[in-house]
Amino acid sequence: MSFRILQGDVLTRLRELPDGYAHCVVTSPPYWGLRDYGVEGQIGQEPTPEEYVLKLVEVFREVRRVLRSDGTCWLNLGDTYAGYWGDANAKKQGRRSSADTNGWTNGFHMNARPSFHQAFDELRLKPKDLVGIPWMLACALRSDGWWLRSDIIWHKPNPLPESVTDRPTKSHEYLFLLTRSSSYYYDAEAISEIAVGDTPGNLTHKDTTAYENGDVHMRTKAGLAKVTAVSRRNKRSVWTIAVEAFSEAHFATFPTKLVEPCILAGTSEHGCCARCGAPWRRITERTHTFQSGSGKAGHAPSGKFTGSVQAESGDYDIRLGPVVTTATIGWKPSCSCSAEILPCTVLDPFNGAGTTGLVALRLGRHYLGIELNPEYVTMSERRIREDAPLLRQEEQP
């Protein structure tokens, strides 16, 4: 596995890459109106949301070319609230007017950019309006030729506090799954989750399961019983992932846990063909297991529980049903080249702090990033190397 970070304008550097270069794109462009990164040519400081969206559509048109026809693009983007400018006389006197007390937009105050007045006029934005940037871009990309396959809610259990009292605190962002065609590589098994819910065949014994060190337990009269076989289900579209801090970055960074499922689903764990780049596909086998239970008679719990349970102490009561499990029994090529197998390639055209690259290398993929700010290039290269001891050993003379 290897990584490169190209410094320069994103459109210019993308145009230097060949068609179908990347298997998967995971990225988060600079948000509109959030902050000034102090670099000429940066995206996010356009006078209006429409200009911002048009600029990104142009960028992602090149991304679509660079992405393989069977590839996926995972795009994270946050929204912005329209702010107040307030009373000019109040500003001159060094005090804030009552009108602009709620003018903060994810850490950026629109008073700092008078040109944003234009956005109000053209889009009929009112102070306090939610602009709707993520969906503006998603719909524009769909109109430009992308398949819009999923809108994933990134739920933040630890959101930044907001000093608002007239709306809920913002605790989510969007992650869009985009593809070049209706048929593409997607490894659902790589990101499947334990089936805990209300559907038949899943763990449906409400309020009786506990999670400890990654294991699933069921509460019984005698204590906890460990679940030794459970059904799994397709990953849902709400991902609860905490915000992660990175001390060297003066901006919001991807959580590694948000990037990980995107790469796992969008690239083959086994690798790809060295000649044509086609990813190898997982071969799975599903089994239905019926298991008998034990415990004290006459005390069966209400509800359903599907799985096998191993008691840790004492007697327990349980109803057992069929357990559907899926196992990987091998891998197969999706081409007939019979060539060497290489790691798949992940691209982030807005490299930032290099989190996508960090996760890509951890998962054994190649990585290519593009970054306008040379300081961020240096920072992210150092961060990735410090996280990859094997990579550092390979680079030593």
Side-chain angles (χ1 to χ4, degrees), residues 30 49 61 97 129 156 276 285 328:
R61 192 174 298 144
S97 68
D129 268 343
K156 306 175 184 180
C276 71
E285 183 179 72
T328 299

Side-chain angles (χ1 to χ4, degrees), residues 101-112:
T101 54
N102 283 321
W104 294 91
T105 64
N106 295 331
F108 178 89
H109 197 275
M110 296 182 70
N111 288 340

